[in-house]
Amino acid sequence: MIRYLLAMLLSAGAVYIAILYESTAFTLLGFTLLFLMLLSMGYLFYEKKSLRVTMNMLPALADRQKPIYVSARATHRYRGCHGRIMVQVAISREGHRARRCKWLREEYEKPTRGKEKSSVEQSFSVLLSVAQAGNYEIRLRKIRIYDLTGLFCVEQRRAVRGERAMLAVLPPFYLMRIRLSEAVRSFAGDAEVYDSLRSGTDSSELLQLRPFRDGDKLRNIHWKLSAKADELLVRENSRPRGCPVAVLAETAGNFQETRLQCAASLSFCLLDLDCPHYVSWYSGYQQDVVRMRVDDEESFYETFLYLLREEGGNRVSSADLQARYREKYGGEPVLHHIRVTAGPCICVDSQEAVCLKASALERELAEMELML
């Protein structure tokens, strides 16, 4: 709109000078600017009606301070000559009013024909980085449409209304030394997940059938299959793959991101040692203690995707969290409880808590060693 006002002022000034000095050149210049402005307004009004911008799919998870590729696609209803378009994307943290905006740049490629024969598509992209972990909403805020000359433009919000996506930004996690005892490694427990490598005594799940060896018990022989195979086959039962460790993450108070880093580092290192475990916290949404089982990479990211949604609004301390956990899940015992509290501090069972410095978290986690 400011460019149109400047064009009107220039046109009026050219006409005034033409009348004052009886100059034909300034008269043509003034009317040319006026005609160009009216032609541009008509073209941009047409573009506003025929333009639709959609956001391409974003990943559900991203790492902190890593670039995120945000792209969009503009579809023109009719084919023809189209000017430059800029799309503004806004990123805001869930539960916060602060918003950061950035313009998507048009990719330098030839406009492609859309699904409809008369439509034309253009692509836009930008790289964003997020400094803090948490849940973020990324949405298209508005577009700026330029005419063919690039001198005049208008802004439009209706063409991008409702185009948004949610993005969870994970905190960085670091390597730490954890030593597992034989009791932890051989823990069976009660679970619906079974070990695919080690045999057990659960007759409801079959691990494998193998030839008879000296020392095998006769009751483990599968007589029907042995008769078909003309050799003795022994049935090996599987064993439940229980979780010997529970990581209790406190979500109340300050320094939430450093506690998330400690909990994520613990969970990742336990996963790397092939130790299934629980990650538990007090959910402000459910007003109760919740837990999720982590035994593969997919469950790891899913767990911390839910944990990131907790903004620390509850007032449940670490001691209360452990008491509530034992009250709710006391029928499913675990060998060790690892509490991650404010500070951040890490406490295993009843041992004295080890407090870490948030400014040197990576170094201190690498230097400490947990015995489970």
Side-chain angles (χ1 to χ4, degrees), residues 31-43:
F31 282 104
T32 300
L33 285 175
L34 183 61
F35 175 76
L36 182 61
M37 183 179 61
L38 294 176
L39 185 63
S40 173
M41 291 178 65
Y43 168 81

Side-chain angles (χ1 to χ4, degrees), residues 68 89-102 128-130 132-141 164-169 311:
I68 307 163
V89 61
I91 178 170
S92 58
R93 191 171 181 180
E94 190 176 21
H96 293 69
R97 294 183 178 180
R99 179 180 290 112
R100 184 159 56 94
C101 300
K102 196 168 184 179
L128 295 175
S129 61
V130 181
Q132 295 182 343
N135 278 336
Y136 291 85
E137 179 189 61
I138 297 179
R139 66 183 181 90
L140 301 184
R141 190 182 184 191
R164 63 187 64 198
M166 299 302 298
L167 176 70
V169 179
E311 291 293 332

Side-chain angles (χ1 to χ4, degrees), residues 250-262 340-345 356-359 361:
E250 182 182 339
T251 57
N254 299 324
F255 305 105
Q256 183 185 4
E257 185 171 347
T258 55
R259 293 199 303 273
L260 281 175
Q261 290 179 348
C262 289
V340 181
T341 64
C345 299
L356 308 172
K357 293 182 181 180
S359 58
L361 188 62

Side-chain angles (χ1 to χ4, degrees), residues 47-162:
E47 281 288 286
K48 287 174 62 175
K49 294 295 183 180
S50 65
L51 186 63
R52 175 65 181 172
V53 179
T54 56
M55 189 191 313
N56 294 333
M57 185 179 296
L58 288 176
L61 293 171
D63 295 329
R64 185 171 66 101
Q65 293 182 341
K66 294 293 182 64
I68 307 163
Y69 185 76
V70 181
S71 60
R73 186 168 295 274
T75 304
H76 303 269
R77 187 179 302 175
Y78 303 106
R79 298 181 63 187
C81 298
H82 303 283
R84 186 164 58 99
I85 300 173
M86 294 181 66
V87 183
Q88 190 182 61
V89 61
I91 178 170
S92 58
R93 191 171 181 180
E94 190 176 21
H96 293 69
R97 294 183 178 180
R99 179 180 290 112
R100 184 159 56 94
C101 300
K102 196 168 184 179
W103 289 98
L104 273 69
R105 299 179 180 179
E106 183 176 2
E107 296 178 353
Y108 293 97
E109 61 179 14
K110 186 178 179 180
T112 59
R113 183 180 300 180
K115 295 181 180 180
E116 299 179 1
K117 292 184 178 180
S118 59
S119 63
V120 175
E121 295 182 350
Q122 291 175 279
S123 298
F124 308 87
S125 63
V126 72
L127 291 176
L128 295 175
S129 61
V130 181
Q132 295 182 343
N135 278 336
Y136 291 85
E137 179 189 61
I138 297 179
R139 66 183 181 90
L140 301 184
R141 190 182 184 191
K142 61 183 177 181
I143 59 174
R144 184 176 293 171
I145 310 170
Y146 290 84
D147 61 2
L148 296 176
T149 63
L151 298 176
F152 303 102
C153 64
V154 293
E155 292 185 352
Q156 168 77 302
R157 293 178 182 268
R158 187 180 63 181
V160 295
R161 187 175 298 171

Side-chain angles (χ1 to χ4, degrees), residues 11-12 17 28 51 86 89 184 224 230 233 251 278 283 353 363:
S11 179
I17 294 176
L28 291 175
L51 186 63
M86 294 181 66
V89 61
V184 173
K224 289 184 179 181
D230 293 332
L233 297 178
T251 57
Y278 293 115
S283 173
R363 176 177 57 83

Side-chain angles (χ1 to χ4, degrees), residues 232-294:
L232 292 179
L233 297 178
V234 175
R235 172 192 178 105
E236 278 195 5
N237 298 321
S238 185
R239 60 183 295 171
R241 200 163 187 254
C243 293
V245 179
V247 179
L248 309 181
E250 182 182 339
T251 57
N254 299 324
F255 305 105
Q256 183 185 4
E257 185 171 347
T258 55
R259 293 199 303 273
L260 281 175
Q261 290 179 348
C262 289
S265 301
L266 280 168
S267 180
F268 180 79
C269 292
L270 288 172
L271 182 62
D272 187 54
L273 294 173
D274 196 26
C275 177
H277 56 279
Y278 293 115
V279 176
S280 179
W281 66 92
Y282 184 84
S283 173
Y285 296 102
Q286 301 184 22
Q287 296 296 311
D288 197 6
V289 175
V290 297
R291 75 176 184 183
M292 296 188 68
R293 178 188 174 101
V294 178

